[in-house]
Amino acid sequence: MDTMTELLYLKDSYQTEFLATITDQWLDPKKGYVVTLDRTAFYPTGGGQPHDIGTLNGVPVHSVEWVDDQVHHYVDSPIKENVVQGMIDWEHRFDLMQQHTGQHVMAAILKRMYDIDMEGFDIGDVTVTIDLKTKPLSNDQLFKIEQLANTIILKNEPIRATIVQPNALEAFDLVHDITREGDVRIVSIESFDDTPCGGTHLSSTGELQVIKLLGTERISGGARLSFVCGRRAVSHYALQHARIENFARLLETSDERIEGKLHRWKKERVEREKEIEQLKEQLLTYEATELWDGSGTVVRGFTERSIHELKALATILTKTHPHALVSLFTMNGSNVQLLATRGADHPLNLRDIASDFFGVCNGRGGGSPTFIQGAGTSEETIETLERNIASVLSSQRVLV
Ligand SMILES: [Zn+2]
């Protein structure tokens, strides 16, 4: 990129302090104070890597962006002096160098070992993701990729950035042709990768410490791989370890026994749920016996009961008494849910009475000749609704 600003980070990623002259300074109505310099060590957002943060003469630099081939430093307040001392937040820069270099290692393994192309990458606040043109990766592949990445770290291979003229590119082992004109900056991991890149990198793979793959998910046309490198990976292990210890404490067991205990609990829960279902069924059977007065018709309203439970209750009644005609409903405030059903030997087609039936609560519903269900609203008491429903059912019985 042609720019008047000398980019110090391209020569030395480890430079955290520099002196520069302010070439321009203005107030952007939306973004605040903007400063341009004759030279800078601040990396501006680009190529998947976030910008550096730091200070210029003690004034915080909260953002750094490329705008029209210029590096814009966004600062909290105007700077009075012409010459500034820039300070890069090293913790932040080193973290980005670890994540970015890790991305080079991962992309190289995926391309060179598995012939998988990278579509893009993103260094987030928590994880690094790379988007790949591939089918989902198997656990076995992921395990091997992680092993290989960590072997490359252990080899502590030098990483160098070289500015190369187009006619000298043949000496490098590039996996893709370079189409743009002019000099190219090639970042090389000694024994196994050369990649064109303008980012900030570590000087050896050993400084990566460790790479931990976190998972893979399907995205349109490929897969997204998440991982963390270096200190982020160390923090990840520490956090996971603390979580497991906490689980063990909560479950009153040891780390190694958590899984066994959870499996047992899951099995027990399924058995208990089955038991509860059976007990509910028994209770409903008991309730059905209580509701049956021998008259052949049961109309009963309840407050805040599940309509599914009432359906089960009605089914027990009609199975036990094939001549029965049953209507149950539940009220929640003025909301009414209601159903009617009949035994196999009762001749009534419930669809014939549906409109009168749901009419008692200005409701709507539908169903089959043997079962109708719906909902409406009513300001009447449960007793009045019971009487009104009984009246609809008995008037129809006369017709039958
Ligand atoms: Zn890079």
Side-chain angles (χ1 to χ4, degrees):
M1 204 171 287
D2 294 325
T3 171
M4 297 299 284
T5 316
E6 186 188 351
L7 305 173
L8 301 169
Y9 61 82
L10 287 179
K11 294 181 194 113
D12 182 4
S13 298
Y14 292 79
Q15 184 176 356
T16 57
E17 293 181 36
F18 65 99
L19 286 174
T21 304
I22 291 180
T23 51
D24 204 354
Q25 182 171 196
W26 68 96
L27 178 61
D28 182 303
K30 283 184 187 154
K31 295 181 170 177
Y33 293 99
V34 188
V35 173
T36 57
L37 303 170
D38 63 340
R39 57 209 297 267
T40 187
F42 279 91
Y43 180 83
T45 302
Q49 186 179 326
H51 60 80
D52 284 319
I53 50 172
T55 56
L56 290 173
N57 278 3
V59 176
V61 176
H62 55 80
S63 179
V64 188
E65 307 291 333
W66 280 111
V67 181
D68 301 331
D69 292 350
Q70 292 259 18
V71 180
H72 285 191
H73 304 75
Y74 298 95
V75 290
D76 284 357
S77 55
I79 298 170
K80 294 183 189 78
E81 305 82 5
N82 272 335
V83 174
V84 288
Q85 186 187 35
M87 302 276 277
I88 304 296
D89 182 323
W90 174 242
E91 290 284 315
H92 183 258
R93 158 70 72 82
F94 186 70
D95 169 57
L96 295 176
M97 281 160 66
Q98 282 191 316
Q99 309 316 313
H100 184 91
T101 307
Q103 174 266 317
H104 276 253
V105 170
M106 292 298 295
I109 291 172
L110 288 158
K111 180 63 188 171
R112 292 171 195 274
M113 308 297 293
Y114 296 93
D115 196 29
I116 297 171
D117 282 307
M118 186 180 76
E119 291 277 272
F121 77 95
D122 181 62
I123 301 175
D125 289 340
V126 181
T127 61
V128 185
T129 56
I130 47 181
D131 291 353
L132 305 165
K133 262 203 248 173
T134 176
K135 293 181 296 207
L137 297 159
S138 69
N139 284 342
D140 184 52
Q141 278 177 314
L142 292 172
F143 180 76
K144 283 184 180 144
I145 290 164
E146 187 181 271
Q147 290 275 306
L148 188 55
N150 284 294
T151 303
I152 290 158
I153 292 173
L154 194 60
K155 282 166 106 179
N156 198 21
E157 295 209 8
I159 300 169
R160 292 186 191 90
T162 324
I163 306 293
V164 183
Q165 291 179 341
N167 58 12
L169 280 171
E170 281 178 11
F172 291 86
D173 178 22
L174 299 168
V175 289
H176 297 291
D177 291 336
I178 291 172
T179 48
R180 69 186 181 88
E181 292 173 3
D183 294 352
V184 182
R185 183 172 183 256
I186 304 290
V187 175
S188 308
I189 301 175
E190 194 170 73
S191 77
F192 89 121
D193 188 48
D194 295 319
T195 298
C197 187
T200 55
H201 308 86
L202 301 168
S203 62
S204 66
T205 61
E207 282 188 292
L208 259 167
Q209 293 177 279
V210 60
I211 291 182
K212 176 69 196 136
L213 283 185
L214 300 179
T216 171
E217 61 182 301
R218 267 171 206 268
I219 52 166
S220 116
R224 175 169 294 166
L225 202 60
S226 309
F227 57 95
V228 277
C229 310
R231 289 177 187 164
R232 288 195 193 188
V234 174
S235 301
H236 176 80
Y237 287 124
L239 187 68
Q240 293 299 84
H241 183 72
R243 271 187 190 146
I244 288 171
E245 289 209 313
N246 203 21
F247 290 156
R249 243 192 317 277
L250 284 169
L251 297 171
E252 295 172 342
T253 188
S254 61
D255 294 9
E256 308 79 47
R257 292 187 173 157
I258 292 174
E259 224 177 329
K261 192 152 189 176
L262 286 177
H263 278 303
R264 267 200 313 283
W265 277 15
K266 203 173 166 192
K267 209 174 140 209
E268 280 170 21
R269 209 184 96 178
V270 171
E271 282 165 9
R272 264 180 218 157
E273 275 171 6
K274 220 185 278 173
E275 215 173 298
I276 289 170
E277 281 309 307
Q278 283 167 356
L279 287 170
K280 272 189 186 165
E281 179 87 22
Q282 280 176 24
L283 267 177
L284 287 176
T285 306
Y286 178 75
E287 194 179 0
T289 312
E290 291 286 296
L291 282 174
W292 185 251
D293 64 0
S295 71
T297 302
V298 177
V299 178
R300 185 63 67 88
F302 301 89
T303 311
E304 293 179 18
R305 273 187 85 168
S306 134
I307 192 72
H308 300 290
E309 198 174 273
L310 296 187
K311 190 175 171 184
L313 181 58
T315 306
I316 293 170
L317 276 163
T318 52
K319 273 194 180 154
T320 322
H321 309 287
H323 288 92
L325 182 59
V326 180
S327 171
L328 304 177
F329 64 92
T330 178
M331 293 192 79
N332 189 352
S334 60
N335 291 320
V336 184
Q337 283 183 286
L338 67 173
L339 62 84
T341 182
R342 63 158 171 86
D345 294 343
H346 196 287
L348 178 63
N349 182 342
L350 287 164
R351 276 185 182 156
D352 293 344
I353 63 155
S355 114
D356 287 346
F357 176 69
F358 296 121
V360 300
C361 59
N362 303 309
R364 301 173 90 172
S368 69
T370 59
F371 179 86
I372 52 174
Q373 185 184 323
T377 55
S378 174
E379 298 300 331
E380 304 286 1
T381 62
I382 285 182
E383 291 73 24
T384 307
L385 276 180
E386 279 176 353
R387 270 198 303 279
N388 294 345
I389 288 173
S391 152
V392 169
L393 296 183
S394 65
S395 69
Q396 293 302 320
R397 291 194 84 186
V398 172
L399 291 177
V400 173

